Amino acid sequence: MTAAADGIAIIGMACRFPGARDVDEFWELIRDGRSGIARFGYEPPGPAAELYVPASGVVADIDAFDSAFFGIPPRQADVMDPQQRLLLECCHEALESGGRDTSAAGDVVGLFAGAARSDYAKLLEGRPDIVAAVGERAVSIATDKDHLTTSVAYRLDLRGPAVTVQSTCSTSLVAVHMACQSLILGECDLAVAGGVSLRVPQEVGYTAQDGVTSADGVCRPFDAAAGGSIPSGGVGVVVLRPLAAALADGDPVRAVLIGTAINNSGAGRVGYTAPSVDGQTTVIGEALDVADVDVESIAYVEGHGTATPLGDPIEVAALTQAFGRRTRRTRFCALGSVKANIGHADCAAGIAGLIKAVLVVERGVIPPHPTFTEPNPAIDLEGSPFYVNTEPCKWPTTAAPRRAGVSSFGIGGTNSHVILEEAPEAAPAAEAAEWQILPVSARTEAARERMLTDLRALLDRPGVDLADASYTLRVGRRTFASRAVLLARAGGSGAALRGARDREEICGTTADVQPPVAFLLAGAGVQREGHSRELYRWEPRYREVVDECCELLSERTGAGLRDILVRDTGSEPGPAILDPRLAVPAAFITELATASLWTSWGVAPEALLGYSTGEYVAACLAGVLTPSTALELLAARGELLTALPPGGMLSVALSQSEAAAWTTSSTVVAAINAPSSVVLSGPSSEIEHINAKLDEAGIPARPVHVPHAYHSPAVDPVLPEFRALVATAAFSSPRMPYVSSVTGTWATADLVTDPEYWVRHMREPVRFADGLSCLLQDAERIVLQPGFGQDLATLARMSPASVTGGPIISAKPSPADGPPGLRALFGAAAHLWVRGARLDWAAFGGQSARRRVAVPTHPFERTRHWLGDPPEARGESTGPSLFESLNAQLDEMGRQLTTISGRF
């Protein structure tokens, strides 16, 4: 009887109904006014043939189930009632359609649902071998309604209330009401509600009974020719959440429940199975009271509408009384019943009506009533607020939100009614970066490829917000072993893709074990003006580190360094930063900011190797130095290097021993990068001369763009001053393993806490090749160059140890992408993830608020699970149906028709 002040949002839906395998097909069926009822050729022999109607609602593939996806052994899946199986699949699909990964979000999720009797269980009566093999207790759990919701909660790890609701035809709408109450009371954060009903066998007709089941296989609610409904089935569920929470999280709100009510008609009826005007009027009025809206703003009511000569007049009379107490206006509200399309889905009838109503208010189209010609003479539509439309029509234009009501009434008198309205208008999408990362994972490669195909098709549609799609896939999907990442760039609208070159796909399958990750940290020489522009703009953690470091350097560089790093250089990379006073601290800042960004993305390194000044970043990450101390030392180092005479460095494709022939007293080997790659450093004139001679000898060589001869005798004059400064610095023992670039071995506390070590670090050659040999010894370790560029990763791949080592990954920008940025880092993240590394996907995308949108859900790879051949193959029946059980009191109800109708 109560409702949340701002309503309960419907954020996800899933269904299977006759003629519709999903929500989209269900809408198409309703919108087009088509019938999902199937007809069969079989007719029983004998006198029963006269009353036999070879038609019913058939739900496709109830014998198929993806048991492996849910970890259910095949034999156990064979025994499971298809009602349990389809409800399980729909609950999972509905949660995914709502963008909710409940395992990651920590949401307490409730489940309220009901099912029809288990016809499938009767198949076990003649199979004592299966019962003996599986066990009576297991059979009971797999087929009894008592275990319907708890078995789903177990499979999906739902930890809120799991309640099986049973009130015959009104079951699923009563479940929705109970789910709303549970949310309002705070028992759960989200709730899944719905119902399922499957006849076994499905492909058999029924015996027509006057007024209860249709004699011609057509269901005509509210029509003069109405002669009853058609046995049918289906499954449907909705995912519910308090509206305020849903809006705050950017959930895809499809509609809002603003009033729900349930009651029972008690004894004031002609019989137990008879409907009651008073009971129905009361429950509709209670829902209207809770919604507290102008009744004239409700332009559509999805009725119970069973097409019985007695039930339809009673229902319209109850609606008329409930509405008439609030308005005298007539014929402003369309009246429909989905039973005209799919028959009577029993315990799933109410949820079928609710899903239809959600789609109606969402799309703003009132679908046609496909079987209506003229009203039942016992129904006064002309004097009521209602009309029945036989053609689709647009929703009337009003200032109020689109609103609808839904009724569902059960045999036994439990009535339910809900009022819903369209979702509030979404806030404008926040600005987003061009490049987006869209992760996809599935249980198998085949399922992954199908998801990728569906995702490509989605992104080709106009109006798709790439950033929202990325957000939904990152935070709203469970992670499986078969993985892929689609990198995509939005066009000028921020949505449509420009072309094939704006996409890249990275695929892989990973083991369950999460591999360790090591960082390769670059030194000075790769940084350019505008280098940090994109990351600084879009990634808060990166911006925070850059700002903090530049603030620490403000007395030395002012705002100049930050301006250089983040300035807009257009579509091309800016010039290299060569002045050591800027280049040395810039290298530290960009590497530390990038490493910190990766850590915020959930990639925490367990080992480190820095190249030259990159070791200062490693030392900070390992806790040896604080960033402020490191910056103080590096800023001083840069200033001291500026005083050196002009010099140069040359990368040469020689081994260390071969390079010795090219050295002099002033030109030395400054770095050993790989077995056949060293760097020579010395005076400019000597470096130029050596380069020319190497060219004559056909030995590959490439100048390094630096203004001085680092790691050479040229730095000797400034070492005393640097030594004095280092002696005042504070060092701590490393809290994380990292490799020394001076010794090429694992750093020890004694080594890196000695100030003299950092003097050696400035002068002695960089032993990067030896360091790589240490780092690559662990074959399980992924080696990542987290910053921009790929030089260190390339050197790592040249190391002999890489043959037995783990993957080596770098943030490699495309030449067409301009300055390096998110595209490069996203590519590296994709390669990490498909190889099994853990990423905190929720941390991607910066701080901009995003919305969860419809993206492909995990496809089920169903296989047949059935106890022997389906009985319908033999034309067998399973006994009296729910509709046939009405016959006992039909005559008595008919005799009372005139008396009851006279009350209206």
Side-chain angles (χ1 to χ4, degrees):
M1 288 292 295
T2 59
D6 53 358
I8 300 295
I10 297 173
I11 66 170
M13 301 192 299
C15 69
R16 313 274 191 278
F17 288 114
R21 296 173 184 267
D22 55 35
V23 171
D24 289 338
E25 289 188 6
F26 187 50
W27 171 244
E28 291 169 3
L29 181 82
I30 294 164
R31 179 200 61 198
D32 298 341
R34 292 185 285 110
S35 172
I37 300 302
R39 293 183 175 269
F40 323 109
Y42 170 80
E43 293 187 11
E50 296 181 6
L51 299 176
Y52 180 78
V53 182
S56 70
V58 174
V59 180
D61 302 328
I62 70 167
D63 61 339
F65 180 56
D66 191 347
S67 58
F69 179 83
F70 296 104
I72 300 174
R75 174 56 65 89
Q76 186 177 344
D78 290 345
V79 175
M80 284 181 72
D81 186 346
Q83 296 184 122
Q84 285 195 23
R85 302 194 306 224
L86 262 68
L87 182 67
L88 176 59
E89 287 187 347
C90 279
C91 287
H92 180 274
E93 184 179 320
L95 286 164
E96 282 205 335
S97 78
R100 306 306 304 186
D101 175 12
T102 56
S103 64
D107 295 315
V108 177
V109 184
L111 174 59
F112 299 81
R117 69 184 181 188
S118 178
D119 290 342
Y120 189 73
K122 293 187 177 182
L123 300 182
L124 288 164
E125 293 177 359
R127 298 298 302 271
D129 55 325
I130 294 178
V131 175
V134 177
E136 291 187 5
R137 182 179 180 84
V139 169
S140 174
I141 291 172
T143 58
D144 195 289
K145 289 190 290 188
D146 282 356
H147 301 286
L148 178 74
T149 56
T150 50
S151 65
V152 173
Y154 172 70
R155 299 293 177 190
L156 299 184
D157 193 24
L158 310 182
R159 296 171 184 262
V163 181
T164 299
V165 181
Q166 297 300 155
S167 61
T168 64
C169 314
S170 62
T171 289
S172 52
L173 205 61
V174 170
V176 170
H177 169 82
M178 295 178 68
C180 290
Q181 297 303 301
S182 185
L183 289 167
I184 292 164
L185 293 172
E187 296 174 336
C188 51
D189 303 310
L190 283 86
V192 183
V196 58
S197 179
L198 296 174
R199 301 167 71 238
V200 175
Q202 289 194 106
E203 296 178 356
V204 294
Y206 58 93
T207 301
Q209 298 187 20
D210 187 23
V212 178
T213 47
S214 172
D216 61 0
V218 179
C219 182
R220 300 178 175 86
F222 315 117
D223 192 80
S229 194
I230 303 168
S232 185
V235 56
V237 295
V238 292
V239 180
L240 308 174
R241 195 175 188 205
L243 179 61
L247 293 176
D249 274 1
D251 291 336
V253 180
R254 307 195 68 165
V256 183
L257 294 169
I258 58 174
T260 71
I262 61 173
N263 72 359
N264 192 275
S265 296
R269 297 172 283 157
V270 298
Y272 173 74
T273 61
S276 163
V277 172
D278 290 343
Q280 293 181 17
T281 300
T282 300
V283 80
I284 295 167
E286 289 174 348
L288 288 169
D289 288 343
V290 172
D292 192 25
V293 295
D294 182 357
V295 74
E296 294 183 15
S297 69
I298 299 173
Y300 179 74
V301 167
E302 172 65 21
H304 187 62
T306 55
T308 58
L310 177 60
D312 286 359
I314 288 178
E315 178 174 1
V316 177
L319 281 165
T320 300
Q321 287 190 20
F323 275 57
R325 292 169 183 170
R326 294 162 175 82
T327 182
R328 294 183 180 275
R329 187 181 169 196
T330 60
R331 298 182 63 76
F332 64 85
C333 183
L335 178 64
S337 171
V338 74
K339 294 177 181 65
N341 303 91
I342 65 169
H344 196 322
D346 198 1
C347 290
I351 199 67
L354 178 60
I355 292 174
K356 174 186 173 182
V358 170
L359 294 168
V360 168
V361 299
E362 184 179 60
R363 312 294 172 95
V365 175
I366 299 176
H369 194 301
T371 60
F372 184 83
T373 303
E374 57 180 304
N376 184 323
I379 298 176
D380 179 17
L381 281 179
E382 291 297 326
S384 79
F386 307 101
Y387 67 93
V388 178
N389 58 302
T390 57
E391 296 293 332
C393 59
K394 290 186 177 180
W395 197 280
T397 301
T398 64
R402 294 192 286 265
R403 295 190 177 111
V406 183
S407 291
S408 190
F409 309 126
I411 295 173
T414 296
N415 309 303
S416 56
H417 191 83
V418 305
I419 310 293
L420 65 150
E421 68 181 26
E422 67 176 310
E425 185 176 352
E431 188 181 11
E434 275 191 323
W435 279 100
Q436 296 292 328
I437 186 167
L438 296 95
V440 168
S441 71
R443 194 183 58 83
T444 67
E445 284 191 27
R448 181 194 71 197
E449 289 306 306
R450 181 174 162 188
M451 290 183 73
L452 276 174
T453 298
D454 292 344
L455 182 59
R456 294 184 202 110
L458 174 72
L459 298 184
D460 285 336
R461 298 175 196 164
V464 175
D465 190 301
L466 201 60
D468 286 346
S470 167
Y471 177 71
T472 306
L473 289 168
R474 287 187 283 109
V475 305
R477 291 293 183 268
R478 179 181 165 193
T479 299
F480 297 94
S482 188
R483 303 177 182 182
V485 173
L486 193 153
L487 303 177
R489 179 163 60 179
S493 65
L497 299 184
R498 291 169 174 159
R501 80 175 186 85
D502 293 315
R503 294 185 188 175
E504 180 183 355
E505 293 176 13
I506 299 100
C507 301
T509 299
T510 181
D512 292 335
V513 179
Q514 179 181 325
V517 178
F519 282 1
L520 297 179
L521 300 158
V526 298
Q527 292 73 30
R528 292 176 174 270
E529 293 185 18
H531 191 92
S532 296
R533 183 185 73 216
E534 188 177 15
L535 290 184
Y536 186 87
R537 178 182 181 187
W538 295 112
E539 290 295 336
R541 180 55 185 156
Y542 188 92
R543 181 167 59 249
E544 178 184 329
V545 174
V546 170
D547 285 346
E548 288 177 355
C549 290
C550 288
E551 182 64 28
L552 290 171
L553 288 176
S554 61
E555 292 186 3
R556 292 177 182 267
T557 65
L561 181 55
R562 176 168 46 205
D563 291 345
I564 290 171
L565 290 173
V566 305
R567 70 176 45 160
D568 187 349
T569 58
S571 60
E572 297 297 327
I577 302 173
L578 299 179
D579 186 337
R581 291 170 295 186
L582 297 175
V584 173
F588 173 84
I589 291 171
T590 55
E591 287 295 297
L592 181 64
T594 311
S596 299
L597 177 59
W598 279 100
T599 302
S600 76
W601 285 349
V603 182
E606 52 80 46
L608 307 159
L609 171 58
Y611 190 102
S612 186
T613 55
E615 186 172 341
Y616 279 77
V617 180
C620 283
L621 296 176
V624 174
L625 290 169
T626 65
S628 60
T629 300
L631 278 171
E632 183 181 357
L633 295 177
L634 287 171
R637 179 166 167 167
E639 291 173 353
L640 291 171
L641 292 173
T642 305
L644 299 181
M649 302 182 78
L650 191 65
S651 177
V652 184
L654 293 173
S655 67
Q656 183 179 5
S657 59
E658 292 169 336
W662 298 85
T663 61
T664 67
S665 59
S666 55
T667 298
V668 298
V669 173
I672 304 97
N673 292 333
S676 295
S677 177
V678 299
V679 175
L680 300 178
S681 179
S684 298
S685 57
E686 290 190 17
I687 290 295
E688 291 172 1
H689 176 73
I690 293 171
N691 190 20
K693 291 295 184 181
L694 287 169
D695 184 54
E696 291 176 5
I699 299 172
R702 176 175 57 86
V704 179
H705 296 292
V706 292
H708 304 288
Y710 304 141
H711 298 281
S712 78
V715 304
D716 290 343
V718 300
L719 291 182
E721 188 174 347
F722 188 68
R723 180 177 289 110
L725 177 64
V726 171
T728 65
F731 301 92
S732 300
S733 298
R735 296 192 298 268
M736 182 189 304
Y738 81 90
V739 180
S740 162
S741 64
V742 176
T743 65
T745 60
W746 292 103
T748 64
D750 290 342
L751 181 69
V752 298
T753 57
D754 181 356
E756 188 61 28
Y757 171 79
W758 297 98
V759 178
R760 294 173 56 198
H761 183 277
M762 187 173 175
R763 169 64 176 84
E764 294 184 14
V766 178
R767 299 190 176 276
F768 192 67
D770 293 338
L772 287 171
S773 296
C774 281
L775 201 65
L776 296 172
Q777 286 176 356
D778 186 343
E780 302 300 319
R781 179 182 289 143
I782 295 177
V783 175
L784 170 69
Q785 182 173 350
F788 298 118
Q790 51 185 321
D791 290 355
L792 302 189
T794 300
L795 293 174
R797 294 184 187 102
M798 294 168 60
S799 172
S802 67
V803 176
T804 56
I808 299 166
I809 298 170
S810 59
K812 177 183 178 183
S814 166
D817 289 338
L822 286 173
R823 164 65 184 81
L825 264 62
F826 284 173
H831 283 287
L832 272 177
W833 189 61
V834 300
R835 286 167 171 80
R838 190 192 76 84
L839 274 76
D840 180 3
W841 287 121
F844 282 68
Q847 292 177 330
S848 59
R850 302 310 316 174
R851 296 173 296 199
R852 299 171 203 250
V853 295
V855 291
T857 58
H858 193 293
F860 294 119
E861 299 175 285
R862 300 180 177 93
T863 55
R864 180 176 170 82
H865 289 280
W866 204 259
L867 294 173
D869 292 329
E872 55 259 38
R874 301 186 294 274
E876 297 176 4
S877 179
T878 59
S881 69
L882 171 64
F883 302 94
E884 294 165 337
S885 69
L886 298 173
N887 190 46
Q889 298 199 28
L890 180 60
D891 291 339
E892 178 186 1
M893 292 166 60
R895 286 193 299 270
Q896 299 291 330
L897 177 59
T898 303
T899 302
I900 296 173
S901 299
R903 297 169 54 191
F904 313 139

